[in-house]
Amino acid sequence: MAHLETPPGRQLVLNLFIYPGGHHEAGWRYPGASPERLLDISFYQDLARSAEAAKFDAVFFADGPAQVDNIRYASRFRLEPLTWLSAIAAATTHIGLIGTASTTYYEPYNLARLYASLDHLSGGRAGWNIVTTAVPQASGNFGLAETPSHAERYARAAEFLDVVTKLWDSWEDDALIADPVSGVFADDARIHPIEHVGRHFRVKGALNTPRSPQGRPVYVQAGSSDDGRSFAARYAEAIFTAHQTVESAQAFYADIKKQAQSLGRNPDHVKILPGISPYIGSTEAEAKRLYDEVNDLIQPAYSITQLKQITGVDFTGHPLDAVVSLDAFADAGPARTVASRFQLVVDIVKREKPTLRQLIDRLAGARGHYVVVGTPEQIADEIQLWFESGAADGFNVMPPWFRGGFDLFTSQVVPILRKRGLFRSEYTGRTLREHYGLPRPESLYASEARATA
């Protein structure tokens, strides 16, 4: 590969995406995986310490407020991220802590307190992955007869963001005085009820927690639909996304950056972070053997259920070695819950004309995120290509299994990226905003006070 010149100071963002059992659906079965430790907090603390030793920007936990249907064959349970990240915060000093929470099933005041507390607890390392939750199993857990529509969920999310932003800003930075001599603990003139009245929420405020070290936790978002892109361009400071080709990633990257700029935002303050799941071998043949070994552990019944959840199409009874026809997706309609991931699958079928077995193998590796198989040099080349060709600002690293898949990446790929000047050797800050190169936002109320002074 002909290496392009990296702009001075621009560094890769690397997050460790922690998924119980690993990101391959059968990763928990791979020799050396530790399924018996999946409920052991020390296992996750050890992973986070290893990621911190490798100078990763953050660890990331996904979440969803429902038990999915296909638990029989895969490690598909969920640990509540903020509880788990609080324990990880106590075991680390620098690495960022990103957890998912849904705007559809939380209330703004509770969520604002939770993330502000994590930001204080960790010294400014919290990030919120904002999701609107499309999975149909969740609605019944919250007294709803059906999942709110796509448009309704995003309308609620926009108002939710407005409310939590005002809550996190409701204490100005210098509101907390704590002066024993004067006896003044807080300047209540700098603590502001937000008095929000909207379509979805009525919230008086102020927050009962002083402003956190980052001002606000980092806003992360993971939707790639048209509504998701618009939402991300307006609010997100980091975007988790899935792409199978560099061309698709480049188009998404350019669109988000352009939209953000049109809204008056600095596009450099919106980090685009595709998922990448690496299979690493000392030779291409060894890496391919590893990939095949893990795929040999697939349970087709699970994979077909997973494919149905993504596309709304049930391939039960379809011969595994028969080619998948595009016609099969014609009537998917509203059954598909994630439009962008549905399109990703359709694009694979168009481009590669796979058999059903080949298609489920492709998706088993990382649920539609980019799977790369090769030597450490080849994987570093691919990361550098995406980074330097306008496809990514960094990556969510998604090891096929834990711990071995992650240890291979940190010991063999990271040193190459570092040698090429693409990734840090030491942290230069303590907060997640500092790792990402993001500014610390001023309180909205401080800005208003200056404007009326």
Side-chain angles (χ1 to χ4, degrees):
M1 169 184 170
H3 300 308
L4 305 175
E5 184 177 350
T6 304
R10 185 169 182 249
Q11 295 274 292
L12 278 162
V13 170
L14 293 178
N15 299 326
L16 171 59
F17 185 169
I18 299 178
Y19 201 79
H23 287 274
H24 191 286
E25 65 189 43
W28 67 276
R29 301 179 64 197
Y30 190 72
S34 303
E36 74 283 357
R37 296 191 66 196
L38 294 183
L39 295 174
D40 178 355
I41 186 58
S42 69
F43 178 65
Y44 300 91
Q45 289 172 324
D46 289 346
L47 278 172
R49 280 190 287 255
S50 293
E52 186 169 81
K55 312 307 176 190
F56 269 48
D57 293 80
V59 294
F60 163 51
F61 279 82
D63 191 32
Q67 176 57 61
V68 295
D69 296 334
N70 50 359
I71 190 69
R72 181 175 178 84
Y73 296 119
S75 55
R76 294 276 286 161
F77 62 86
R78 289 289 181 270
L79 298 160
E80 195 286 306
L82 290 171
T83 305
W84 230 241
L85 288 169
S86 295
I88 289 171
T92 55
T93 58
H94 284 74
I95 198 160
L97 308 164
I98 302 172
T100 297
S102 173
T103 58
T104 305
Y105 298 113
Y106 267 97
E107 288 293 318
Y109 199 89
N110 285 340
L111 183 138
R113 294 185 68 213
L114 288 166
Y115 276 92
S117 297
L118 179 62
D119 208 45
H120 280 294
L121 175 70
S122 64
R125 295 187 277 143
W128 171 30
N129 181 42
I130 305 157
V131 298
T132 61
T133 309
V135 294
Q137 297 95 332
S139 56
N141 293 336
F142 295 87
L144 301 180
E146 60 184 9
T147 302
S149 70
H150 183 89
E152 180 67 15
R153 285 184 285 109
Y154 271 97
R156 177 184 165 100
E159 187 177 343
F160 197 114
L161 263 288
D162 183 35
V163 176
V164 295
T165 298
K166 289 188 287 190
L167 286 169
W168 283 326
D169 286 1
S170 61
W171 287 61
E172 295 182 41
D173 284 321
D174 50 2
L176 182 61
I177 295 173
D179 179 13
V181 176
S182 68
V184 176
F185 185 76
D187 183 351
D188 51 356
R190 297 180 185 274
I191 302 172
H192 306 273
I194 70 170
E195 304 291 358
H196 177 90
V197 178
R199 179 185 166 200
H200 297 91
F201 306 109
R202 297 174 65 93
V203 182
K204 182 176 178 58
L207 196 64
N208 61 351
T209 307
R211 200 154 195 250
S212 73
Q214 294 187 108
R216 304 167 202 152
V218 173
Y219 292 178
V220 182
Q221 194 266 353
S224 295
S225 65
D226 289 343
D227 285 341
R229 292 186 189 208
S230 297
F231 185 87
R234 182 172 298 277
Y235 299 108
E237 295 167 297
I239 300 172
F240 298 163
T241 183
H243 298 280
Q244 289 289 315
T245 67
V246 68
E247 293 81 12
S248 169
Q250 286 169 328
F252 179 86
Y253 186 100
D255 178 51
I256 292 291
K257 300 281 185 171
K258 182 179 178 181
Q259 287 195 51
Q261 190 163 35
S262 73
L263 293 167
R265 301 185 63 195
N266 183 340
D268 291 339
H269 295 161
V270 183
K271 305 298 183 183
I272 312 297
L273 307 173
I276 186 170
S277 190
Y279 292 74
I280 305 165
S282 59
T283 65
E284 284 187 66
E286 183 181 301
K288 181 62 165 59
R289 276 197 303 274
L290 171 62
Y291 180 67
D292 291 342
E293 286 170 3
V294 183
N295 278 343
D296 285 344
L297 300 173
I298 287 172
Q299 299 270 23
Y302 172 87
S303 302
I304 289 170
T305 302
Q306 183 86 333
L307 184 57
K308 181 180 178 181
Q309 290 183 344
I310 295 172
T311 65
V313 179
D314 188 354
F315 284 91
T316 302
H318 188 290
L320 287 174
D321 294 310
V323 171
V324 175
S325 169
L326 273 176
D327 294 341
F329 302 96
D331 298 323
R336 63 182 190 259
T337 56
V338 183
S340 58
R341 206 59 61 90
F342 172 86
Q343 190 58 49
L344 183 148
V345 174
V346 170
D347 288 345
I348 291 173
V349 173
K350 281 182 182 176
R351 187 172 59 246
E352 301 175 19
K353 299 177 176 53
T355 65
L356 179 58
R357 189 188 306 277
Q358 290 168 334
L359 180 60
I360 63 178
D361 282 359
R362 286 292 305 275
L363 298 175
R367 306 173 307 285
H369 289 276
Y370 185 45
V371 172
V372 58
V373 181
T375 66
E377 286 278 349
Q378 289 171 327
I379 290 166
D381 285 348
E382 198 71 4
I383 289 171
Q384 184 168 4
L385 172 65
W386 285 48
F387 181 57
E388 294 182 337
S389 65
D393 293 307
F395 292 88
N396 278 323
V397 179
M398 303 169 61
W401 82 100
F402 287 117
R403 289 193 40 138
F406 182 58
D407 291 341
L408 284 170
F409 186 84
T410 56
S411 66
Q412 298 188 25
V413 178
V414 169
I416 298 170
L417 298 173
R418 199 166 277 146
K419 184 177 180 181
R420 295 179 184 178
L422 299 170
F423 190 61
R424 68 171 71 85
S425 296
E426 296 293 339
Y427 290 111
T428 56
R430 292 294 296 269
T431 71
L432 181 56
R433 288 188 174 277
E434 290 172 323
H435 300 342
Y436 280 2
L438 301 173
R440 185 182 187 277
E442 186 178 48
S443 165
L444 296 167
Y445 296 95
S447 303
E448 290 175 5
R450 269 204 315 277
T452 58

